[in-house]
Amino acid sequence: MASSHSSSPVPQSKSSDAFFKKEADATKRFRPVQSLPDVCPKEPTGNPNSLHDSPSLVVDQQRWTIYHSKVNLPAALNDPRLAKRESDFFTKTWGVDFVDTEVTPSFYLPQITKEHFASYQQEITPREKVHERCKNICTPKDTFDRTLLHTHDKSRTDLEQVPKIFMKPDFALEDSLTFNAVLPWSHFSTAGGKGNRDAASSKLLQEKLSHYLDIVEVNIAHQISLRSEAFFHAMTSQHELQDYLRKTSQAVKLLREKISKIDKVMCEGSLRVLRLSLTRNNCIKAYNKLKLMATVHQTQPTVQLLLSTSEYVGALDLIATTQEVLQQELQGIHSFRHLGSQLCELEKLIDKMMIAEFSTYARNDLNRPLEDDCQILEEERLVSLVFGLLKQRKLNFYEIYGDEMINTAKNIIKQCVVNTVSQIEEIDTEVVVKLADQMRMMNFPQWFDLLKNIFSKFTIFLKRVKATLNTIRSVVFLVLDKNQKTRDLEDTLQKDSAKESLVDSEVAYLTHEGMFISDAFGDGELAAGAADSASQRNTSPNSEPCSSDSVSEPECATDSSSSKEHTSSSVTPGGVDMMIGEDMKLTDLELGRLANNIQELLYNASDICHDRSVKFLMARAKDGFLEKLNSNEFVTLSRLMEGFILDTEQICGRKSMSLRGALQSQANRFVNRFHEERKTKLSLLLDNERWKQAEVPAEFQDLVDSVSDGRISLPEKKPTATEERKPAEFLIVEGQKYATVGTVLLLIRIILEYCQCVDNIPSITTDMLTRLSDLLKYFNSRSCQLVLGAGALQVVGLKTITTKNLALSSRCLQLIVHYIPIIRAHFEARLQPKQFSMLRHFDHITKDYHDHIAEISAKLVAIMDSLFDKLLSKYEVKAPVPSACFRNICKQMAKMHEAIYDLLPEEQTQMLFLRINASYKLHLKRQLAHLNVVNDGGPLNGLVTSDVAFYTGNLQALKGLNNLDLNMAEIWEQKR
């Protein structure tokens, strides 16, 4: 028996090289051979030379060794309970249920890599080459190797006789298919006449299986014989291991005795002190729990007391705190098992009470007498209700206020109408029952006063609504600000705790009761200060800490570990201190949306007032009452409505378009009526105009002067002053004289009425501009029809259209053209920049007027042109001089000058006569050419020159034409 791990049972050859050669050969020849899987499932399949080495627990952990063998080999082979063969030696002692666990590699042992064998490989490589050369030259003669090879081949041949099914790792007779394959029952039968053959078959099957068993046992015995020395070496190692275990057991026993003595001497006393300290802390906690239970027991009476004084916030705080205590510190208390559900029902009841209370408050606040007093009604009560509703997440409470606003707006109009009707004696309320019909019986002053009263009531109503909603919004912003401060505080605390955790670290020791020593000392410190750390969760803004006389103030204290509520006292706009707790749990998004909805409610209040005003206005306008108003009345109404619209915009901060749209609609109707009246008036004036120069009353001169001074408006009437002043012959405009007809004077006044109406009602500027353009176009076209078109002959009954009529018409048109730029500037100052394109109407009108004036001038020239054509066609160059033709021409020129000189300015008169002179020269030149009179200094030439000199002298003798350049030399044909 080998007693050393280093000894080898294989005999050594004389030469180490020879042994190395044989070993390498065996490696090549036996590498594909594997042992039986069912008998030795973990038999090594690697190098068979490892069988020659001594077994070792360290080296042989991953391969089959003799340590895997059992004492009773047949029992190990036939044990049906084992699905696999154990690979650990200790299975024998600790049972078949022992399971290997992977051992963590020791960090004391280095990690061996291929680089550690690099030097060895460099050293052995030359020797390996020499060995290979020797192996190729020398033939192996070792009989041991041949015998071993022969034995291995024989055993392999025998094992091939065993069917492969017995060699499968999952071989199990419990499987029906496997069982039928091993024992084919189809060969056996109980039928008569075949018994002898079945017996022979079963006997043959038994012998075959026995033969297979013998082959396997022979191979197993052979394997065991090859490993006998390793088996005996393992038995020796087992005895040594048992000695080591016995010594280890004695050392452990001695160590435990020493530890027990140390525990008695040094630890028991200290641990007893700790246990007593823990017991004392537990008693204090139990006492505090009992006090907390007594406080919680008084929750319902306290809530009832708070509700009797409408302290909803305090009641809700108390309920929330009690529920938190029940869920955390008093969880599982049997006597309080129903208290949580009772508090939930009570909280629902408080929700309904708050909604009803807020509805009542809104109704009382909006329906109180509408006076100039806009103070908030019971501000502290409102703030308390809003806090309570926010706490319960009733974020739609503002809708209740909105519904009350609609009802109040209706009642305001109804009450104003009733009060006004009751003061009017002409209206019999018994005959006329409906308020709308009673209102339609009012005249404009009465109805206007009623509307003014309604607007004043609505203004006060909106101011009151704004004050209330601002208070509600301030509460919402207060909560929002508190949330922000709480988040900042939490961030600061987290940063501080993170810094402290890096600095302070405690070493916790586990006691026998499962507590840490550091926790024990910490609980002791908390218990010592528990009586001084009273929780204020049961307090409300106006309630006492506890409502029971049997519980003193210290009994309201709770465990400091459960106190998570951070409250702050904030003064609301009403001056009430409110406690805002973390239990509101409203996000910034919800609070911001609620604040926007409350602001939108203020806008809705403005819209409601405007909508009700529109309905009131439309009810009065059904019978065409508003369309029948004169301009002054409508302007007064428009100013009142514009003032109310501006007041509501200033109060609410947003424009409401309903009343403005109704005003615009009525203004459009007013503009249509206004324009139709004045257009009809202008049409009548033109149809009756005889186109003679009219005297200018002093009031029209004052009107023109005010326009020149920049005041485009109708001046106030001064009857005393106008009676003393006499009418003037001309209208003086900026130093120029204008001869006009009466229609044009009235047209100027009508134009100023349009401009003044725009000042009074800015919303109708564009409509007025369009209507005024239409009026000016109508005057231009109609005057052209009457004068140039000779329509006045049939309409008025004039005998003829004289040059004076034409000149007067031209001067009237020039007067209107003079005022068009002023009117344009007036409208431009009142239009939006995007509406400036409408001003092109004035440019078109100006062009039309200039064209009309040019046509009148052309008509005057045409009159003289026809006269020249008629007279000069009969002209003969003969004595006496001047001829009758030229005397007649000069006479007609003098009449023309007399007709137009006082009507047209001197410059226009000169320009007109220059054109007439040009026409005269053209006709004279044509007649001279016809008569063959040339500028040769002959007798005929002398006669013509005398006539022309007579014409020139007479024409230049006319007033204002003395410096006129007639250039009469053009009458002669130029010599070529």
Side-chain angles (χ1 to χ4, degrees):
M1 180 182 298
S3 59
S4 174
H5 292 279
S6 62
S7 62
S8 175
V10 182
Q12 303 288 337
S13 63
K14 295 180 183 181
S15 174
S16 61
D17 293 339
F19 177 76
F20 185 83
K21 176 182 178 182
K22 294 177 183 178
E23 188 174 2
D25 293 339
T27 302
K28 291 182 179 181
R29 298 175 64 181
F30 294 115
R31 185 174 299 278
V33 180
Q34 297 181 356
S35 55
L36 298 178
D38 58 339
V39 177
C40 305
K42 295 185 179 180
E43 185 178 15
T45 58
N47 190 351
N49 288 332
S50 61
L51 299 174
H52 303 294
D53 298 333
S54 299
S56 174
L57 285 174
V58 177
V59 179
D60 302 332
Q61 285 182 0
Q62 304 299 328
R63 63 181 179 177
W64 189 93
T65 65
I66 57 176
Y67 297 120
H68 296 79
S69 301
K70 305 295 182 179
V71 176
N72 190 352
L73 186 60
L77 294 173
N78 298 325
D79 189 357
R81 296 173 299 173
L82 295 180
K84 62 178 182 177
R85 301 293 179 249
E86 300 296 339
S87 59
D88 197 300
F89 173 77
F90 296 101
T91 306
K92 177 180 178 181
T93 304
W94 290 348
V96 296
D97 295 331
F98 177 79
V99 180
D100 285 341
T101 58
E102 184 179 356
V103 180
T104 305
S106 175
F107 55 87
Y108 292 106
L109 299 178
Q111 295 291 334
I112 304 301
T113 60
K114 292 183 180 181
E115 284 72 11
H116 292 83
F117 299 94
S119 59
Y120 172 76
Q121 288 179 351
Q122 294 177 359
E123 180 182 354
I124 205 66
T125 299
R127 298 177 60 186
E128 184 181 6
K129 293 180 180 178
V130 174
H131 172 71
E132 291 295 333
R133 284 199 306 271
C134 293
K135 184 175 66 174
N136 294 332
I137 296 173
C138 300
T139 304
K141 299 179 180 180
D142 196 331
T143 58
F144 176 77
D145 291 340
R146 288 198 298 272
T147 303
L148 185 62
L149 179 62
H150 174 72
T151 304
H152 180 74
D153 292 340
K154 182 179 180 181
S155 62
R156 183 175 181 182
T157 304
D158 294 339
L159 285 176
E160 289 179 353
Q161 299 178 11
V162 181
K164 299 298 183 183
I165 191 172
F166 292 101
M167 303 301 179
K168 292 182 179 180
D170 56 348
F171 177 79
L173 290 177
E174 292 84 353
D175 187 6
S176 59
L177 297 178
T178 304
F179 186 81
N180 292 331
V182 174
L183 299 175
W185 293 102
S186 61
H187 296 171
F188 306 109
S189 175
T190 57
K194 296 184 180 180
N196 296 331
R197 188 174 63 183
D198 292 341
S201 298
S202 61
K203 186 175 180 181
L204 180 61
L205 179 62
Q206 184 178 3
E207 289 178 354
K208 185 183 295 185
L209 295 175
S210 300
H211 177 65
Y212 294 158
L213 179 62
D214 293 340
I215 292 174
V216 172
E217 288 180 348
V218 168
N219 279 275
I220 291 175
H222 178 68
Q223 295 291 335
I224 293 175
S225 65
L226 293 178
R227 294 167 175 79
S228 58
E229 277 194 42
F231 174 76
F232 290 115
H233 179 71
M235 296 301 295
T236 304
S237 300
Q238 183 179 8
H239 292 316
E240 294 178 357
L241 183 60
Q242 289 179 352
D243 293 339
Y244 291 152
L245 290 175
R246 184 172 58 257
K247 292 179 181 178
T248 303
S249 177
Q250 291 176 357
V252 170
K253 182 179 180 181
L254 181 61
L255 179 60
R256 287 182 175 178
E257 291 176 354
K258 291 181 180 180
I259 292 175
S260 178
K261 292 179 182 179
I262 292 173
D263 180 55
K264 291 180 180 180
V265 174
M266 301 181 63
C267 298
E268 282 187 0
S270 300
L271 290 177
R272 185 169 178 272
V273 172
L274 292 177
R275 292 191 192 99
L276 292 176
S277 176
L278 292 176
T279 302
R280 179 177 177 275
N281 291 338
N282 290 336
C283 291
I284 293 174
K285 289 181 179 180
Y287 174 70
N288 290 333
K289 292 290 183 182
L290 292 175
K291 291 196 299 181
L292 184 59
M293 290 174 64
T295 304
V296 170
H297 183 65
Q298 298 297 324
T299 298
Q300 288 179 311
T302 306
V303 170
Q304 296 293 340
L305 180 61
L306 292 173
L307 292 181
S308 64
T309 59
S310 299
E311 290 292 340
Y312 299 107
V313 178
L316 291 172
D317 286 338
L318 182 56
I319 290 174
T321 304
T322 305
Q323 287 178 338
E324 182 182 358
V325 171
L326 289 176
Q327 293 175 2
Q328 295 181 0
E329 301 178 18
L330 299 181
Q331 187 177 9
I333 302 298
H334 186 71
S335 59
F336 289 152
R337 63 187 182 278
H338 300 304
L339 183 58
S341 60
Q342 293 173 358
L343 293 177
C344 290
E345 293 297 329
L346 191 58
E347 189 172 1
K348 294 179 181 179
L349 176 62
I350 293 176
D351 291 348
K352 296 179 181 179
M353 293 177 64
M354 285 193 300
I355 294 295
E357 183 78 11
F358 185 78
S359 179
T360 303
Y361 175 85
R363 192 177 304 109
N364 296 336
D365 178 51
L366 296 175
N367 291 327
R368 56 188 166 136
L370 291 171
E371 300 175 355
D372 294 336
D373 183 18
C374 296
Q375 295 296 326
I376 302 174
L377 179 65
E378 298 180 9
E379 184 176 5
E380 296 181 359
R381 176 187 172 193
L382 174 62
V383 171
S384 177
L385 282 172
V386 174
F387 270 114
L389 293 170
L390 292 178
K391 187 178 183 67
Q392 295 304 106
R393 300 180 64 84
K394 303 296 181 182
L395 303 183
N396 60 343
F397 64 91
Y398 62 89
E399 296 177 358
I400 300 174
Y401 199 83
D403 296 338
E404 290 295 333
M405 287 193 309
I406 297 175
N407 297 330
T408 303
K410 294 180 181 179
N411 295 333
I412 287 174
I413 294 181
K414 183 177 180 180
Q415 191 64 35
C416 289
V417 173
V418 171
N419 294 338
T420 304
V421 169
S422 63
Q423 296 175 2
I424 300 175
E425 298 179 355
E426 292 80 3
I427 301 176
D428 190 356
T429 57
E430 295 180 358
V431 178
V432 183
V433 180
K434 295 183 178 180
L435 286 177
D437 296 336
Q438 295 173 1
M439 178 189 64
R440 293 190 188 99
M441 296 179 65
M442 300 179 186
N443 55 30
F444 178 76
Q446 293 171 345
W447 181 81
F448 182 79
D449 292 338
L450 173 59
L451 182 62
K452 187 176 182 181
N453 186 27
I454 291 174
F455 284 166
S456 63
K457 297 294 184 183
F458 273 153
T459 303
I460 299 174
F461 168 75
L462 288 177
K463 291 180 180 178
R464 187 171 294 173
V465 169
K466 181 180 181 180
T468 302
L469 294 181
N470 284 343
T471 301
I472 297 175
R473 289 187 75 221
S474 65
V475 174
V476 175
F477 288 136
L478 197 64
V479 177
L480 187 63
D481 183 61
K482 176 60 181 177
N483 288 349
Q484 183 64 35
K485 290 181 179 179
T486 302
R487 284 196 300 271
D488 296 341
L489 181 60
E490 289 177 354
D491 295 341
T492 304
L493 292 177
Q494 288 179 359
K495 293 179 181 179
D496 294 342
S497 61
K499 293 179 181 179
E500 292 176 359
S501 62
L502 296 175
V503 177
D504 300 334
S505 61
E506 294 182 353
V507 180
Y509 300 94
L510 190 64
T511 63
H512 289 286
E513 293 184 355
M515 294 289 293
F516 287 95
I517 294 177
S518 60
D519 292 343
F521 283 114
D523 288 345
E525 294 175 358
L526 290 176
D532 297 332
S533 60
S535 175
Q536 298 179 356
R537 273 181 293 196
N538 294 340
T539 61
S540 63
N542 295 320
S543 64
E544 297 178 357
C546 297
S547 62
S548 177
D549 296 334
S550 61
V551 183
S552 60
E553 183 178 355
E555 292 177 353
C556 298
T558 59
D559 186 18
S560 60
S561 62
S562 66
S563 179
K564 300 178 180 179
E565 183 178 1
H566 301 282
T567 62
S568 66
S569 178
S570 301
V571 180
T572 64
V576 182
D577 292 342
M578 302 302 298
M579 302 299 291
I580 308 173
E582 289 181 351
D583 53 355
M584 284 202 175
K585 297 179 181 177
L586 292 173
T587 63
D588 292 352
L589 181 61
E590 291 175 332
L591 292 172
R593 188 183 296 114
L594 178 58
N596 292 336
N597 290 337
I598 294 173
Q599 183 63 34
E600 191 68 27
L601 188 62
L602 180 60
Y603 301 152
N604 293 340
S606 176
D607 294 339
I608 290 170
C609 294
H610 282 228
D611 293 341
R612 302 312 303 179
S613 300
V614 169
K615 290 183 178 181
F616 177 78
L617 200 64
M618 292 298 103
R620 190 65 183 92
K622 281 186 177 180
D623 55 355
F625 172 76
L626 298 180
E627 298 178 6
K628 298 176 183 177
L629 299 178
N630 57 41
S631 58
N632 293 331
E633 290 175 344
F634 189 83
V635 166
T636 306
L637 176 62
S638 175
R639 287 179 177 176
L640 177 63
M641 296 176 66
E642 286 286 351
F644 176 70
I645 292 172
L646 294 177
D647 290 341
T648 55
E649 290 178 0
Q650 185 177 4
I651 295 173
C652 301
R654 191 180 71 173
K655 294 182 178 180
S656 296
M657 302 307 297
S658 57
L659 185 58
R660 193 182 297 274
L663 176 60
Q664 185 66 40
S665 176
Q666 294 298 326
N668 292 336
R669 296 178 184 177
F670 169 76
V671 168
N672 291 333
R673 183 183 57 80
F674 180 87
H675 176 64
E676 290 300 329
E677 289 179 356
R678 278 142 185 83
K679 188 174 182 181
T680 303
K681 181 179 179 180
L682 179 61
S683 177
L684 293 175
L685 290 174
L686 286 173
D687 291 343
N688 295 308
E689 181 61 54
R690 303 188 66 85
W691 298 101
K692 292 183 179 180
Q693 183 177 357
E695 294 182 344
V696 180
E699 58 175 331
F700 284 97
Q701 185 62 53
D702 294 338
L703 188 64
V704 171
D705 294 340
S706 65
V707 174
S708 301
D709 295 337
R711 297 190 305 272
I712 304 178
S713 61
L714 295 176
E716 298 180 358
K717 294 183 179 180
K718 298 180 181 179
T720 57
T722 55
E723 289 178 0
E724 296 177 356
R725 297 170 59 185
K726 294 181 180 181
E729 185 179 1
F730 295 96
L731 183 68
I732 308 301
V733 179
E734 296 181 358
Q736 290 188 10
K737 293 181 180 181
Y738 285 90
T740 63
V741 295
T743 301
V744 174
L745 293 176
L746 294 176
L747 177 60
I748 293 175
R749 184 180 182 87
I750 292 174
I751 292 173
L752 294 181
E753 288 178 355
Y754 277 80
C755 295
Q756 187 173 9
C757 194
V758 167
D759 289 337
N760 296 331
I761 313 174
S763 60
I764 63 174
T765 302
T766 55
D767 291 335
M768 278 296 184
L769 188 149
T770 305
R771 302 300 193 282
L772 181 57
S773 301
D774 179 66
L775 187 71
L776 294 174
K777 290 179 181 178
Y778 176 77
F779 173 77
N780 184 40
S781 62
R782 186 62 178 157
S783 62
C784 181
Q785 293 173 4
L786 292 173
V787 180
L788 280 179
L793 299 179
Q794 292 80 20
V795 176
V796 185
L798 296 179
K799 294 180 180 181
T800 182
I801 302 298
T802 63
T803 55
K804 193 168 187 177
N805 296 138
L806 292 172
L808 187 60
S809 174
S810 175
R811 194 56 174 162
C812 290
L813 292 173
Q814 294 174 22
L815 178 61
I816 301 299
V817 169
H818 173 79
Y819 282 109
I820 288 179
I822 300 175
I823 300 170
R824 175 193 172 100
H826 181 80
F827 276 89
E828 184 177 2
R830 287 150 184 81
L831 287 176
Q832 299 294 331
K834 60 183 179 181
Q835 299 173 336
F836 284 168
S837 59
M838 299 185 66
L839 297 174
R840 68 181 184 277
H841 294 300
F842 292 112
D843 299 332
H844 297 161
I845 292 171
T846 303
K847 181 178 181 300
D848 293 341
Y849 272 67
H850 282 301
D851 292 343
H852 190 183
I853 295 171
E855 290 177 4
I856 294 175
S857 299
K859 183 66 174 178
L860 292 173
V861 175
I863 292 173
M864 297 304 296
D865 184 77
S866 62
L867 179 65
F868 293 149
D869 185 33
K870 179 180 178 181
L871 294 178
L872 290 177
S873 63
K874 301 176 182 181
Y875 173 63
E876 294 180 358
V877 183
K878 62 182 180 178
V881 177
S883 63
C885 177
F886 271 75
R887 286 197 298 268
N888 196 7
I889 289 174
C890 291
K891 182 179 178 181
Q892 295 297 331
M893 293 284 281
K895 288 182 179 180
M896 168 70 74
H897 180 270
E898 182 182 0
I900 68 173
Y901 181 77
D902 293 333
L903 300 179
L904 296 179
E906 185 175 342
E907 296 82 3
Q908 295 184 20
T909 303
Q910 292 177 358
M911 292 299 298
L912 180 62
F913 274 89
L914 282 176
R915 293 177 61 185
I916 293 173
N917 181 61
S919 175
Y920 163 77
K921 289 189 293 184
L922 181 62
H923 285 283
L924 180 60
K925 182 179 180 180
R926 189 181 304 155
Q927 184 64 20
L928 292 178
H930 177 69
L931 296 176
N932 293 323
V933 179
V934 295
N935 188 14
D936 55 358
L940 295 178
N941 178 261
L943 293 175
V944 172
T945 303
S946 299
D947 286 338
V948 169
F950 173 76
Y951 165 79
T952 303
N954 277 276
L955 187 60
Q956 290 182 346
L958 296 178
K959 189 177 181 180
L961 302 181
N962 52 350
N963 296 325
L964 200 64
D965 185 10
L966 300 179
N967 193 12
M968 298 305 294
E970 294 179 355
I971 63 175
W972 304 108
E973 288 287 345
Q974 299 293 330
K975 294 181 179 181
R976 298 179 180 179

